[in-house]
Amino acid sequence: GHKAIAGADPDGYTIGLATFSLTTYEWFKSSDVTYRDFTPIALFNVDATTILVNSKSEFKTLKALLDAIKNNPGKYNVATPVGAGHHLAFSNLLDAYGIDPNSVVVVPVKGGAMILQELAAGGVEIGPSTLPEARALIDAGKVRPLAILSPTRSKLYPDVPTGKEAVGIDIEGGTWRSIVGPKGLPQPIVDKLSASIKRIYESAEFQEIMNKRGYGLRYLKGGDLEVFMANMHEANGRILKKLGLAK
């Protein structure tokens, strides 16, 4: 999908969805496209990683969990798809806290549902996911959110602290979605598309749908989106090298 957008004529008639994966291809050598091959139009969603534990876990705060990992390298398990958004977000958190990101044992799973299954069953101690994905298990009292890696708290669960509130680390991580076009899209076309997306983003219907489902709302246009993608690309490359996953 990303390659189809990048290879299209820059006439404004082919645009598409750019996702978190775009900032990992270069490091995995899985594709030759990067964020540099696109014209950024507008970001409209960030689903921040939330650090979750089983409801029976001894850990009630993020600080307690991180301190335990720091003092007991190799003892704790995390379920996550290797190299995916939540894995990298959690690894970046460990690194920022002064913990070797390889200090936790990764139990590879294929997707978000399996992360939560492992966590709820007690197969692992940690499960980084999103609040919308974990909603049913949180409400059922099966898993406990310790913190959300976002600049602001979630409207879905306003009692869950941010990473900065929990451990003093201003960190952002997770999955995101934005609208982009091929590189070289003329500025008048970019401005028109960005304005249209902003009207949709600000509409009561869109806001209600996203809020009801717990999806994170964030709007960035043009140059601000390019900076966002560049920062994510750099952060992901740095942590993938520390994890030994970059090729």
Side-chain angles (χ1 to χ4, degrees):
H2 285 137
K3 292 201 78 166
I5 302 166
D9 292 331
D11 55 12
Y13 288 99
T14 300
I15 60 174
L17 201 67
T19 66
F20 166 87
S21 299
L22 184 61
T23 59
T24 63
Y25 294 146
E26 181 174 330
W27 310 114
F28 285 133
K29 298 291 189 289
S30 56
S31 174
D32 58 0
V33 297
T34 75
Y35 72 94
R36 304 180 193 93
D37 298 308
F38 300 87
T39 298
I41 298 171
L43 176 81
F44 64 89
N45 159 254
V46 176
D47 286 330
T49 296
T50 299
I51 311 303
L52 297 142
V53 295
N54 188 286
S55 59
K56 296 178 181 177
S57 170
E58 64 182 289
F59 302 114
K60 304 295 193 297
T61 67
L62 180 61
K63 185 179 187 307
L65 173 64
L66 294 181
D67 286 343
I69 295 171
K70 195 169 192 176
N71 294 327
N72 301 277
K75 179 178 179 180
Y76 298 102
N77 298 336
V78 57
T80 180
V82 176
H86 299 316
H87 181 205
L88 300 191
F90 181 60
S91 297
N92 269 314
L93 172 65
L94 295 177
D95 187 53
Y97 200 74
I99 302 171
D100 180 348
N102 294 293
S103 292
V104 292
V105 178
V106 174
V107 176
V109 294
K110 291 185 177 180
M114 292 189 69
I115 293 174
L116 295 166
Q117 286 173 13
E118 285 286 342
L119 188 63
V124 295
E125 288 86 12
I126 310 152
S129 184
T130 66
L131 288 172
E133 287 180 303
R135 186 174 186 175
L137 290 176
I138 293 172
D139 291 348
K142 300 291 185 181
V143 301
R144 178 190 306 128
L146 299 182
I148 183 170
L149 304 187
S150 168
T152 59
R153 294 191 180 200
S154 167
K155 291 183 178 179
L156 187 62
Y157 293 99
D159 292 337
V160 178
T162 66
K164 187 171 184 178
E165 291 170 332
V167 291
I169 296 174
D170 192 2
I171 187 169
E172 183 174 6
T175 59
W176 47 269
R177 297 167 183 86
S178 65
I179 303 298
V180 299
K183 190 173 181 179
L185 208 58
Q187 194 59 44
I189 293 176
V190 175
D191 293 341
K192 186 173 184 179
L193 289 170
S194 181
S196 296
I197 294 166
K198 189 175 184 182
R199 283 197 299 272
I200 295 168
Y201 176 88
E202 292 177 342
S203 69
E205 183 180 5
F206 183 78
Q207 292 281 320
E208 182 182 4
I209 288 171
M210 295 291 278
N211 283 324
K212 275 188 174 180
R213 287 161 176 77
Y215 291 112
L217 286 158
R218 185 170 177 187
Y219 178 85
L220 293 174
K221 70 174 183 178
D224 292 333
L225 171 56
E226 186 170 16
V227 170
F228 174 86
M229 290 194 292
N231 289 341
M232 286 286 181
H233 183 267
E234 181 181 353
N236 289 335
R238 180 180 55 79
I239 203 66
L240 282 167
K241 289 175 184 176
K242 289 195 174 186
L243 290 167
L245 296 174
K247 296 182 179 179

Short mmCIF file of all heavy atoms in Angstrom, two decimals, residues 12-48:
data_model
loop_
_atom_site.label_atom_id
_atom_site.label_comp_id
_atom_site.label_asym_id
_atom_site.label_seq_id
_atom_site.Cartn_x
_atom_site.Cartn_y
_atom_site.Cartn_z
N GLY A 12 -2.71 14.61 -6.92
CA GLY A 12 -3.75 14.80 -5.90
C GLY A 12 -4.88 13.79 -5.98
O GLY A 12 -5.74 13.78 -5.10
N TYR A 13 -4.87 12.93 -6.99
CA TYR A 13 -5.96 11.97 -7.13
C TYR A 13 -5.64 10.61 -6.50
O TYR A 13 -6.52 9.77 -6.38
CB TYR A 13 -6.31 11.79 -8.61
CG TYR A 13 -7.02 13.00 -9.17
CD1 TYR A 13 -6.33 13.96 -9.91
CD2 TYR A 13 -8.38 13.20 -8.93
CE1 TYR A 13 -6.97 15.08 -10.39
CE2 TYR A 13 -9.04 14.32 -9.42
CZ TYR A 13 -8.33 15.26 -10.14
OH TYR A 13 -8.96 16.38 -10.61
N THR A 14 -4.39 10.41 -6.13
CA THR A 14 -4.02 9.20 -5.39
C THR A 14 -3.39 9.61 -4.07
O THR A 14 -2.30 10.18 -4.05
CB THR A 14 -3.02 8.34 -6.18
OG1 THR A 14 -3.61 7.94 -7.42
CG2 THR A 14 -2.66 7.09 -5.39
N ILE A 15 -4.12 9.36 -3.00
CA ILE A 15 -3.60 9.58 -1.66
C ILE A 15 -3.89 8.31 -0.86
O ILE A 15 -4.59 7.42 -1.34
CB ILE A 15 -4.25 10.81 -0.97
CG1 ILE A 15 -5.76 10.62 -0.84
CG2 ILE A 15 -3.90 12.08 -1.71
CD1 ILE A 15 -6.46 11.72 -0.06
N GLY A 16 -3.34 8.21 0.32
CA GLY A 16 -3.59 7.00 1.08
C GLY A 16 -3.17 7.11 2.53
O GLY A 16 -2.76 8.18 3.00
N LEU A 17 -3.27 5.97 3.20
CA LEU A 17 -3.02 5.91 4.63
C LEU A 17 -1.57 5.50 4.89
O LEU A 17 -1.14 4.45 4.42
CB LEU A 17 -3.97 4.89 5.25
CG LEU A 17 -4.25 4.99 6.74
CD1 LEU A 17 -5.03 6.24 7.06
CD2 LEU A 17 -5.03 3.76 7.20
N ALA A 18 -0.86 6.33 5.62
CA ALA A 18 0.49 5.97 6.08
C ALA A 18 0.39 5.59 7.55
O ALA A 18 -0.28 6.25 8.33
CB ALA A 18 1.45 7.14 5.90
N THR A 19 1.08 4.51 7.91
CA THR A 19 0.99 3.99 9.27
C THR A 19 2.38 3.89 9.90
O THR A 19 3.41 4.13 9.25
CB THR A 19 0.34 2.60 9.28
OG1 THR A 19 1.20 1.68 8.59
CG2 THR A 19 -1.02 2.63 8.59
N PHE A 20 2.39 3.46 11.15
CA PHE A 20 3.61 3.28 11.92
C PHE A 20 4.69 2.50 11.15
O PHE A 20 5.88 2.82 11.25
CB PHE A 20 3.27 2.54 13.22
CG PHE A 20 4.46 2.00 13.95
CD1 PHE A 20 5.14 2.80 14.86
CD2 PHE A 20 4.89 0.70 13.74
CE1 PHE A 20 6.26 2.30 15.53
CE2 PHE A 20 5.99 0.20 14.41
CZ PHE A 20 6.68 1.01 15.30
N SER A 21 4.28 1.49 10.40
CA SER A 21 5.24 0.62 9.71
C SER A 21 6.18 1.39 8.80
O SER A 21 7.32 0.96 8.56
CB SER A 21 4.50 -0.44 8.89
OG SER A 21 3.71 -1.26 9.72
N LEU A 22 5.72 2.51 8.30
CA LEU A 22 6.53 3.32 7.39
C LEU A 22 7.85 3.75 8.03
O LEU A 22 8.84 3.97 7.33
CB LEU A 22 5.72 4.55 6.95
CG LEU A 22 6.35 5.48 5.93
CD1 LEU A 22 6.61 4.75 4.63
CD2 LEU A 22 5.45 6.68 5.68
N THR A 23 7.87 3.85 9.35
CA THR A 23 9.08 4.30 10.04
C THR A 23 9.96 3.15 10.51
O THR A 23 10.89 3.35 11.29
CB THR A 23 8.70 5.18 11.24
OG1 THR A 23 7.88 4.44 12.15
CG2 THR A 23 7.95 6.42 10.80
N THR A 24 9.68 1.94 10.01
CA THR A 24 10.52 0.78 10.37
C THR A 24 11.11 0.08 9.15
O THR A 24 12.08 -0.67 9.29
CB THR A 24 9.72 -0.26 11.18
OG1 THR A 24 8.65 -0.79 10.38
CG2 THR A 24 9.14 0.36 12.45
N TYR A 25 10.55 0.27 7.97
CA TYR A 25 11.00 -0.45 6.78
C TYR A 25 12.51 -0.33 6.56
O TYR A 25 13.20 -1.31 6.26
CB TYR A 25 10.29 0.05 5.52
CG TYR A 25 8.81 -0.20 5.47
CD1 TYR A 25 7.95 0.72 4.86
CD2 TYR A 25 8.24 -1.36 6.00
CE1 TYR A 25 6.59 0.50 4.79
CE2 TYR A 25 6.87 -1.58 5.93
CZ TYR A 25 6.05 -0.65 5.32
OH TYR A 25 4.70 -0.85 5.26
N GLU A 26 13.02 0.89 6.65
CA GLU A 26 14.44 1.12 6.37
C GLU A 26 15.33 0.33 7.32
O GLU A 26 16.37 -0.20 6.92
CB GLU A 26 14.76 2.62 6.49
CG GLU A 26 16.21 2.95 6.18
CD GLU A 26 16.47 4.45 6.17
OE1 GLU A 26 15.55 5.23 5.84
OE2 GLU A 26 17.61 4.84 6.49
N TRP A 27 14.92 0.22 8.57
CA TRP A 27 15.74 -0.47 9.57
C TRP A 27 15.66 -1.98 9.43
O TRP A 27 16.63 -2.69 9.71
CB TRP A 27 15.30 -0.03 10.97
CG TRP A 27 15.24 1.46 11.10
CD1 TRP A 27 14.13 2.24 11.30
CD2 TRP A 27 16.34 2.38 11.00
NE1 TRP A 27 14.45 3.57 11.34
CE2 TRP A 27 15.81 3.69 11.15
CE3 TRP A 27 17.70 2.23 10.80
CZ2 TRP A 27 16.60 4.83 11.11
CZ3 TRP A 27 18.51 3.37 10.76
CH2 TRP A 27 17.95 4.64 10.91
N PHE A 28 14.50 -2.48 9.00
CA PHE A 28 14.35 -3.93 8.79
C PHE A 28 14.83 -4.36 7.41
O PHE A 28 14.92 -5.55 7.13
CB PHE A 28 12.87 -4.34 8.94
CG PHE A 28 12.38 -4.38 10.35
CD1 PHE A 28 11.16 -3.79 10.68
CD2 PHE A 28 13.09 -5.02 11.34
CE1 PHE A 28 10.69 -3.82 11.99
CE2 PHE A 28 12.62 -5.07 12.64
CZ PHE A 28 11.42 -4.47 12.97
N LYS A 29 15.06 -3.39 6.53
CA LYS A 29 15.40 -3.65 5.13
C LYS A 29 14.28 -4.45 4.45
O LYS A 29 14.53 -5.28 3.57
CB LYS A 29 16.72 -4.42 5.01
CG LYS A 29 17.93 -3.68 5.56
CD LYS A 29 18.28 -2.49 4.71
CE LYS A 29 19.62 -1.86 5.11
NZ LYS A 29 19.59 -1.16 6.40
N SER A 30 13.03 -4.17 4.87
CA SER A 30 11.89 -4.89 4.32
C SER A 30 11.26 -4.16 3.13
O SER A 30 10.45 -4.73 2.40
CB SER A 30 10.83 -5.11 5.40
OG SER A 30 10.44 -3.87 5.96
N SER A 31 11.62 -2.91 2.94
CA SER A 31 11.13 -2.13 1.80
C SER A 31 12.07 -0.94 1.61
O SER A 31 12.74 -0.52 2.56
CB SER A 31 9.70 -1.63 2.04
OG SER A 31 9.29 -0.77 0.99
N ASP A 32 12.10 -0.42 0.41
CA ASP A 32 12.97 0.72 0.15
C ASP A 32 12.24 2.06 0.29
O ASP A 32 12.80 3.11 0.02
CB ASP A 32 13.61 0.62 -1.24
CG ASP A 32 12.58 0.52 -2.37
OD1 ASP A 32 11.36 0.53 -2.07
OD2 ASP A 32 12.98 0.42 -3.54
N VAL A 33 10.98 2.04 0.74
CA VAL A 33 10.26 3.30 0.93
C VAL A 33 10.41 3.77 2.37
O VAL A 33 10.47 2.97 3.31
CB VAL A 33 8.75 3.18 0.58
CG1 VAL A 33 8.56 2.85 -0.88
CG2 VAL A 33 8.05 2.15 1.45
N THR A 34 10.49 5.09 2.54
CA THR A 34 10.52 5.71 3.86
C THR A 34 9.57 6.90 3.84
O THR A 34 9.00 7.24 2.79
CB THR A 34 11.92 6.20 4.24
OG1 THR A 34 12.22 7.41 3.51
CG2 THR A 34 12.98 5.15 3.95
N TYR A 35 9.46 7.57 4.98
CA TYR A 35 8.60 8.75 5.05
C TYR A 35 9.06 9.84 4.08
O TYR A 35 8.27 10.70 3.67
CB TYR A 35 8.58 9.30 6.48
CG TYR A 35 9.86 9.97 6.91
CD1 TYR A 35 10.02 11.35 6.79
CD2 TYR A 35 10.93 9.24 7.41
CE1 TYR A 35 11.20 11.97 7.15
CE2 TYR A 35 12.11 9.85 7.78
CZ TYR A 35 12.25 11.22 7.64
OH TYR A 35 13.42 11.83 8.00
N ARG A 36 10.31 9.79 3.67
CA ARG A 36 10.86 10.81 2.75
C ARG A 36 10.27 10.71 1.35
O ARG A 36 10.42 11.63 0.55
CB ARG A 36 12.38 10.66 2.66
CG ARG A 36 13.12 10.72 4.00
CD ARG A 36 14.62 10.54 3.80
NE ARG A 36 15.31 10.30 5.05
CZ ARG A 36 15.58 9.10 5.55
NH1 ARG A 36 15.20 8.00 4.87
NH2 ARG A 36 16.22 8.96 6.70
N ASP A 37 9.63 9.58 1.04
CA ASP A 37 9.08 9.35 -0.30
C ASP A 37 7.64 9.84 -0.45
O ASP A 37 6.99 9.55 -1.46
CB ASP A 37 9.14 7.86 -0.64
CG ASP A 37 10.56 7.33 -0.68
OD1 ASP A 37 11.38 7.94 -1.38
OD2 ASP A 37 10.83 6.33 0.02
N PHE A 38 7.14 10.58 0.55
CA PHE A 38 5.75 11.00 0.54
C PHE A 38 5.60 12.50 0.80
O PHE A 38 6.49 13.13 1.39
CB PHE A 38 4.95 10.23 1.60
CG PHE A 38 4.97 8.75 1.39
CD1 PHE A 38 6.00 7.97 1.92
CD2 PHE A 38 3.99 8.11 0.65
CE1 PHE A 38 6.04 6.60 1.73
CE2 PHE A 38 4.02 6.75 0.45
CZ PHE A 38 5.05 5.99 0.99
N THR A 39 4.48 13.02 0.39
CA THR A 39 4.09 14.36 0.79
C THR A 39 3.14 14.23 1.97
O THR A 39 2.05 13.67 1.82
CB THR A 39 3.37 15.10 -0.36
OG1 THR A 39 4.26 15.23 -1.47
CG2 THR A 39 2.93 16.48 0.09
N PRO A 40 3.53 14.69 3.14
CA PRO A 40 2.64 14.58 4.31
C PRO A 40 1.46 15.54 4.17
O PRO A 40 1.63 16.71 3.82
CB PRO A 40 3.55 14.97 5.48
CG PRO A 40 4.60 15.84 4.88
CD PRO A 40 4.81 15.35 3.48
N ILE A 41 0.26 15.03 4.45
CA ILE A 41 -0.95 15.86 4.34
C ILE A 41 -1.55 16.11 5.72
O ILE A 41 -1.68 17.26 6.15
CB ILE A 41 -1.98 15.21 3.40
CG1 ILE A 41 -1.39 15.08 1.98
CG2 ILE A 41 -3.27 16.04 3.35
CD1 ILE A 41 -2.23 14.27 1.03
N ALA A 42 -1.90 15.05 6.44
CA ALA A 42 -2.50 15.26 7.77
C ALA A 42 -2.47 13.97 8.60
O ALA A 42 -2.82 12.90 8.11
CB ALA A 42 -3.92 15.76 7.65
N LEU A 43 -2.07 14.11 9.85
CA LEU A 43 -2.21 13.05 10.85
C LEU A 43 -3.56 13.21 11.52
O LEU A 43 -3.98 14.34 11.79
CB LEU A 43 -1.10 13.18 11.90
CG LEU A 43 -1.15 12.21 13.08
CD1 LEU A 43 -0.56 10.86 12.67
CD2 LEU A 43 -0.37 12.76 14.28
N PHE A 44 -4.26 12.10 11.77
CA PHE A 44 -5.57 12.23 12.42
C PHE A 44 -5.76 11.28 13.61
O PHE A 44 -6.75 11.37 14.33
CB PHE A 44 -6.71 12.02 11.42
CG PHE A 44 -6.77 10.64 10.82
CD1 PHE A 44 -7.50 9.62 11.43
CD2 PHE A 44 -6.10 10.35 9.64
CE1 PHE A 44 -7.56 8.36 10.87
CE2 PHE A 44 -6.15 9.08 9.08
CZ PHE A 44 -6.88 8.08 9.69
N ASN A 45 -4.80 10.38 13.82
CA ASN A 45 -4.98 9.39 14.89
C ASN A 45 -3.64 8.92 15.44
O ASN A 45 -2.71 8.65 14.68
CB ASN A 45 -5.76 8.18 14.33
CG ASN A 45 -5.58 6.92 15.16
OD1 ASN A 45 -4.86 6.01 14.73
ND2 ASN A 45 -6.18 6.85 16.32
N VAL A 46 -3.56 8.85 16.76
CA VAL A 46 -2.45 8.19 17.44
C VAL A 46 -3.05 7.30 18.54
O VAL A 46 -3.76 7.81 19.41
CB VAL A 46 -1.46 9.18 18.08
CG1 VAL A 46 -0.39 8.41 18.87
CG2 VAL A 46 -0.81 10.07 17.04
N ASP A 47 -2.84 6.01 18.44
CA ASP A 47 -3.29 5.08 19.47
C ASP A 47 -2.09 4.75 20.35
O ASP A 47 -1.25 3.93 20.00
CB ASP A 47 -3.89 3.80 18.86
CG ASP A 47 -5.25 4.06 18.26
OD1 ASP A 47 -5.96 4.94 18.76
OD2 ASP A 47 -5.60 3.39 17.27
N ALA A 48 -2.02 5.44 21.47
CA ALA A 48 -0.85 5.34 22.33
C ALA A 48 -0.74 3.98 23.00
O ALA A 48 -1.75 3.40 23.42
CB ALA A 48 -0.90 6.45 23.38
#
